Amino acid sequence: MSVVKINVLAVPAEQREVLEKRFASRAGAVEGSDGFEWFELLRPVEGTDSYLVYTRWRSEEDFQAWMSGPMQAAHQGGADRPKPAASGSTLWSFEVVQSAGPRA
């Protein structure tokens, strides 16, 4: 079964728009990765300032390959790299044990 990775990003209110624009400008960056199945950026509505970056992968190995390759390369930069929009980050990991979609 698939694995789900949720990156929990603490984002101050004044940085929300910056974060969303950065993700929008990277559209398509992960979709071609081997084993990638799904992505969603979830904006908090109430009760938290944390955004959730949801990705689903065919396997843990596929996720790790993306982390050590394309993702790492995308996050490297020099002195001109912009300041992060998030003030903190935590990665949650899950295995999918049940899944359902709408009935046809």
Side-chain angles (χ1 to χ4, degrees):
M1 276 259 162
S2 301
V3 295
V4 169
K5 302 295 181 172
I6 300 174
N7 194 2
V8 183
L9 301 175
V11 182
E14 66 274 9
Q15 291 290 80
R16 286 180 164 200
E17 187 175 342
V18 171
L19 179 89
E20 291 180 22
K21 284 182 179 179
R22 287 183 186 168
F23 269 93
S25 71
R26 293 179 18 195
V30 69
E31 286 88 332
S33 298
D34 193 39
F36 170 80
E37 295 179 350
W38 200 258
F39 161 85
E40 291 178 317
L41 175 63
L42 306 176
R43 176 192 302 137
V45 177
E46 60 184 60
T48 183
D49 65 350
S50 295
Y51 276 72
L52 301 181
V53 182
Y54 173 101
T55 57
R56 189 175 67 217
W57 298 85
R58 177 180 54 207
S59 69
E60 180 67 26
E61 293 75 21
D62 290 322
F63 172 74
Q64 292 301 329
W66 174 74
M67 285 286 290
S68 63
M71 194 284 301
Q72 188 175 33
H75 285 86
Q76 291 178 350
D80 60 338
R81 182 167 176 80
K83 177 182 165 225
S87 61
S89 173
T90 302
L91 183 65
W92 295 345
S93 298
F94 300 89
E95 291 179 333
V96 176
V97 293
Q98 293 184 24
S99 183
R103 292 187 178 156

